[in-house]
Amino acid sequence: MIAPDTQVMQGILALLEEVQGDWELVGEITPQTRFIADLGLESLEIVILATKLQQLYGRLPFPQFFEEIGERPLEERDITVAELVAFVCSNQQPLGLEV
């Protein structure tokens, strides 16, 4: 995985802050924030978030990403904002150039 890009981090944090009110999330969102334990996101909200991220960063291999997370031990299946940013940075494609 490549190093996280600060613009991607800022973009994802801004997106999360935007949906925070819609999803009734409380608290500050930081790179260490966990999606399930801290934000309480459910699977549908995660799918919606993935769709929004693909609109911003192009097609991303979420099925493989979620499969890798599912193979982790149960207590490690939550991801942080920083992990999501690293995933996006490693896999983003310029919009309009997806294959």
Side-chain angles (χ1 to χ4, degrees), residues 4-99:
D5 180 298
T6 56
Q7 287 185 322
V8 173
M9 176 67 77
Q10 290 172 349
I12 289 176
L13 287 172
L15 176 62
L16 290 170
E17 299 224 354
E18 176 185 314
V19 298
Q20 190 172 17
D22 296 341
W23 292 347
E24 299 178 6
L25 307 176
V26 293
E28 180 182 9
I29 299 175
T30 70
Q32 292 74 37
T33 300
R34 296 168 298 172
F35 286 95
I36 297 169
D38 299 329
L39 298 178
L41 293 186
E42 297 182 9
S43 58
L44 179 59
E45 294 163 327
I46 292 170
V47 169
I48 291 168
L49 179 62
T51 301
K52 289 179 179 284
L53 288 171
Q54 291 190 115
Q55 291 171 346
L56 292 171
Y57 301 107
R59 188 168 34 167
L60 299 164
F62 277 109
Q64 293 87 352
F65 183 58
F66 293 142
E67 183 178 329
E68 289 172 16
I69 292 167
E71 292 173 356
R72 295 178 184 176
L74 187 59
E75 64 277 358
E76 297 175 20
R77 289 190 184 165
D78 205 348
I79 64 164
T80 64
V81 172
E83 288 177 293
L84 180 62
V85 169
F87 164 75
V88 170
C89 289
S90 296
N91 294 284
Q92 71 179 334
Q93 299 177 17
L95 290 175
L97 297 179
E98 297 100 19
V99 273

